Amino acid sequence: MAPKKPTTAPLAHRVPAEPTALILDYCRWLKEQTGYDVDPMSVYLGSALRGAFKKSPGNQKRLAAQAERIAAEKVAREQRRAERAAKVEKPKVEKPKPAPKGKATKAAPAPSRRRPLKGSTVATAEGVVIAQQRHIDLTDGAQ
């Protein structure tokens, strides 16, 4: 009878005997920032093996299933939107009433109130300045 070989996990070779000084500093920082006491080996493994997990066939399968689910939800959402649009009745367009017989009169346009521009002067017809903004005197005596 042959001796049994111990079975090991596929990534067991990536587990160090002791966490590095950087991982220990990172754990202290995590505790300071979050108040949660973390296991240094778990922090190391989580950091070191994250990329391997993301590339793993199981995770890729999960991502593909999630993408299919999202695409199916998008199609269902578009179908519901199209069904709601089909249910909405088109509004009835009223025909304009014919103008009464006789002369058509146009309403006079309302007078517009033009506001003075910035830096302008507003004066009366007699030349008296009643409002002045950023006025520069350009007469001969002013310098």
Side-chain angles (χ1 to χ4, degrees):
M1 201 160 161
K4 291 184 179 180
K5 291 183 180 178
T7 59
T8 60
L11 296 176
H13 66 282
R14 302 279 304 265
V15 179
E18 292 292 321
T20 64
L22 176 63
I23 292 297
L24 294 174
D25 289 341
Y26 184 44
C27 291
R28 277 191 288 279
W29 181 84
L30 286 171
K31 173 134 178 142
E32 289 171 4
Q33 299 300 315
T34 65
Y36 183 75
D37 195 19
V38 294
D39 174 44
M41 193 58 72
S42 297
V43 171
Y44 173 80
L45 291 173
S47 300
L49 300 177
R50 182 173 184 267
F53 167 74
K54 290 185 77 148
K55 294 176 186 176
S56 70
N59 188 51
Q60 294 301 311
K61 187 182 208 181
R62 183 189 62 82
L63 290 173
Q66 182 180 8
E68 288 176 11
R69 182 182 51 81
I70 290 172
E73 287 176 2
K74 186 176 180 181
V75 168
R77 190 177 327 121
E78 291 298 325
Q79 286 175 345
R80 289 191 304 269
R81 184 177 291 146
E83 289 170 2
R84 281 193 309 267
K87 287 181 182 178
V88 175
E89 292 182 28
K90 294 181 180 178
K92 295 180 181 179
V93 178
E94 294 184 20
K95 294 181 181 178
K97 296 181 180 179
K101 293 183 180 180
K103 283 189 171 181
T105 58
K106 286 187 178 180
S112 64
R113 294 185 68 199
R114 185 174 162 261
R115 297 180 69 191
L117 300 173
K118 272 190 171 180
S120 64
T121 302
V122 178
T124 63
E126 294 83 31
V128 177
V129 175
I130 57 173
Q132 181 174 312
Q133 298 174 0
R134 297 186 191 169
H135 180 71
I136 300 172
D137 190 2
L138 297 176
T139 59
D140 293 338
Q143 297 241 347

